[in-house]
Amino acid sequence: MATKTRDKPETVDADSATRERILLEAARLFRHHGYAATTLREVADAAGIKAGSIYYHFESKDQILGEVLDKGILAVIDAVQQRVNALPAKATARQRVAAAIEGHLWGLLHHGDFTSANIRVYGQIPPAAKNRHRKIRREYADYWDRLLEDALQRGELRPDASTAIIRLFVIGALNWTVEWYNPQKGSFQDFVKQITSIVFDGTFLREPG
Amino acid sequence: MATKTRDKPETVDADSATRERILLEAARLFRHHGYAATTLREVADAAGIKAGSIYYHFESKDQILGEVLDKGILAVIDAVQQRVNALPAKATARQRVAAAIEGHLWGLLHHGDFTSANIRVYGQIPPAAKNRHRKIRREYADYWDRLLEDALQRGELRPDASTAIIRLFVIGALNWTVEWYNPQKGSFQDFVKQITSIVFDGTFLREPG
DNA sequence: GTCTATACCTCGATAGAC
DNA sequence: GTCTATCGAGGTATAGAC
């Protein structure tokens, strides 16, 4: 029984300590400086090696980018599916979407450098890298669409907004939390509760009448 | 007369046609490639001049960045304040926030290259540029906080979530629309209506009971 | 598996002709 | 007001010693 939800696409020696360190520091630097502005000398320096040594572990800067992007979105997808799959079969749509929100936030905020790097640089990377990454993004969007369509058919979702707009709005709002979430202000569980409540029921009280 | 909503801070010859063209193309390229990845040769090429000529209009790449960032946020602030100030004095808090949402979306989506460049590159620019821009961001956040505090005191806002979290959530969600809004799918007014409704009342129907 | 040294390229910015 | 030409710095990536 494999503990992992997904197979690893990497080759056999793909997860040596320094290799992982390079990815981690690259994610952190991509996040804060952008892809183009991050130099391999900086990455190497942060990882405690010299620039030339990177090329023992990776073929190019582009390959590092690809793996950083994948790590980011896979962390989110994993956390979401784990929580949704753990629900009983008779769970309501609201419970399923709540589980997805919690998973999304957990994956997002607990792998901040990878997920933030993904979100921030995706719109700015070379087209080839974007094309390679597009498929997995599409699959994750489809997963949410199925969740929301199910909620709509069960009569739990608002019928007057399209599920596409709801998905884009909600995922966008969740993604943005990585820009402002502060773990020092209250517990993660409280945070999830507040965000979930706003997503479900909005920010204003219902109008009288 | 100090309370200007829209005086021009530029110098006298600051808005020549080519100068504006440079800013426009720079915004577009910053948006899609990031700040560091955008070369002044590209900007010049897109503006129909040669790289060296840029320095007749600007002192540095950094100065271009600063003006692009300012144009982005000022477009939003202007649109928001115009709509909020146009409301009658007896408007409800809900109406005031609705006006702010519409203004934010309008400024955001009708100056897409400037606003998207602002949002995308802000986290990735040199610290000096970030410090210069921070003040106006803070002022705009304070403006929203006042709107929301007012709504809370009038008993219209949900009392169980902090106004800070609501502001961050809502502005984040609105900002993200620039990544996915498609003007070919329905009118702008319909779009505003849907988004506003989701922000106010959420995505799910109220639970029975 | 990591190092040093370096090839080759492109960057932001400047100088001076027109 | 825009051009050409160029400087010095710093980028990715490679080669070969250890």
Side-chain angles (χ1 to χ4, degrees):
Chain A
M1 191 61 192
T3 50
K4 57 191 173 191
T5 322
R6 291 184 165 263
D7 285 357
K8 295 193 181 179
E10 301 92 353
T11 56
V12 194
D13 62 342
D15 51 357
S16 73
T18 47
R19 189 188 150 91
E20 291 300 303
R21 184 81 190 282
I22 291 168
L23 286 173
L24 191 76
E25 299 296 345
R28 190 176 56 79
L29 289 161
F30 290 168
R31 171 182 188 172
H32 293 293
H33 300 157
Y35 174 61
T38 299
T39 72
L40 293 181
R41 296 193 224 273
E42 285 175 314
V43 174
D45 208 44
I49 57 175
K50 298 294 178 182
S53 308
I54 288 183
Y55 288 86
Y56 175 79
H57 300 280
F58 298 93
E59 289 182 4
S60 66
K61 188 182 179 185
D62 220 69
Q63 190 195 354
I64 297 177
L65 172 67
E67 297 203 18
V68 167
L69 293 180
D70 285 346
K71 280 208 170 212
I73 194 164
L74 288 175
V76 172
I77 292 176
D78 257 25
V80 167
Q81 293 188 341
Q82 259 182 47
R83 279 162 182 77
V84 172
N85 292 340
L87 290 173
K90 57 172 56 177
T92 64
R94 198 178 175 110
Q95 287 172 322
R96 291 169 62 80
V97 172
I101 291 173
E102 180 178 328
H104 191 101
L105 288 175
W106 198 92
L108 195 73
L109 301 173
H110 286 81
H111 299 84
D113 287 333
F114 287 100
T115 54
S116 178
N118 184 309
I119 292 168
R120 283 186 172 182
V121 309
Y122 180 71
Q124 306 177 350
I125 57 179
K130 207 183 259 185
N131 290 335
R132 263 181 265 121
H133 194 63
R134 185 170 290 129
K135 190 183 159 200
I136 186 139
R137 284 197 166 217
R138 183 68 254 166
E139 286 173 5
Y140 185 55
D142 289 342
Y143 182 85
W144 269 88
D145 276 341
R146 285 193 296 274
L147 277 182
L148 295 174
E149 283 294 341
D150 180 56
L152 185 67
Q153 280 172 19
R154 295 194 199 198
E156 296 184 47
L157 203 70
R158 286 176 55 149
D160 54 339
S162 81
T163 54
I165 284 203
I166 290 179
R167 167 178 57 80
L168 289 161
F169 179 89
V170 171
I171 292 190
L174 297 182
N175 281 348
W176 197 267
T177 62
V178 80
E179 301 286 332
W180 56 269
Y181 170 68
N182 183 352
Q184 299 180 338
K185 296 190 180 176
S187 72
F188 175 72
Q189 283 306 329
D190 271 357
F191 180 72
V192 170
K193 231 174 159 175
Q194 287 197 77
I195 296 298
T196 306
S197 173
I198 293 175
V199 169
F200 282 156
D201 300 318
T203 57
F204 272 58
L205 297 171
R206 286 291 154 97
E207 286 183 300
Chain B
M1 203 55 201
T3 53
K4 56 185 176 190
T5 327
R6 34 167 71 228
D7 276 4
K8 294 195 181 177
E10 302 92 353
T11 57
V12 194
D13 61 342
D15 50 357
S16 72
T18 46
R19 190 189 151 91
E20 291 299 303
R21 183 80 190 281
I22 290 167
L23 287 173
L24 191 77
E25 300 295 345
R28 191 176 56 79
L29 288 161
F30 290 167
R31 170 182 189 172
H32 293 293
H33 300 158
Y35 175 62
T38 298
T39 71
L40 292 181
R41 289 171 168 87
E42 284 175 314
V43 174
D45 209 44
I49 56 176
K50 298 293 178 184
S53 308
I54 288 183
Y55 288 86
Y56 175 80
H57 300 279
F58 298 93
E59 290 182 2
S60 65
K61 187 183 179 185
D62 221 66
Q63 191 196 354
I64 297 177
L65 172 67
E67 297 204 19
V68 167
L69 292 180
D70 285 345
K71 280 209 170 211
I73 194 163
L74 288 176
V76 171
I77 292 175
D78 255 27
V80 167
Q81 293 189 340
Q82 258 183 47
R83 279 162 183 76
V84 173
N85 292 341
L87 290 173
K90 55 169 60 177
T92 64
R94 197 178 176 110
Q95 288 172 320
R96 291 169 62 80
V97 173
I101 291 174
E102 179 177 328
H104 191 101
L105 288 175
W106 198 92
L108 196 71
L109 301 173
H110 285 81
H111 300 84
D113 287 334
F114 288 99
T115 54
S116 177
N118 185 310
I119 292 169
R120 283 188 172 181
V121 308
Y122 180 71
Q124 307 176 351
I125 57 179
K130 207 184 261 185
N131 290 336
R132 262 180 266 121
H133 193 64
R134 184 170 291 130
K135 190 182 159 202
I136 185 140
R137 283 196 167 219
R138 181 69 255 165
E139 286 173 4
Y140 185 55
D142 289 342
Y143 182 85
W144 269 88
D145 276 340
R146 286 194 295 274
L147 277 182
L148 294 174
E149 284 294 340
D150 180 57
L152 184 67
Q153 279 171 20
R154 296 195 198 196
E156 295 184 46
L157 203 70
R158 286 177 56 150
D160 55 340
S162 82
T163 54
I165 284 203
I166 289 179
R167 168 177 55 81
L168 289 162
F169 179 89
V170 171
I171 291 190
L174 296 183
N175 280 349
W176 198 267
T177 61
V178 79
E179 301 286 333
W180 56 269
Y181 170 68
N182 183 353
Q184 299 181 338
K185 296 191 179 175
S187 73
F188 174 73
Q189 283 305 330
D190 270 357
F191 180 72
V192 171
K193 231 174 159 177
Q194 287 198 76
I195 296 297
T196 306
S197 173
I198 293 175
V199 169
F200 282 156
D201 300 319
T203 57
F204 273 59
L205 297 172
R206 284 290 154 96
E207 286 182 300

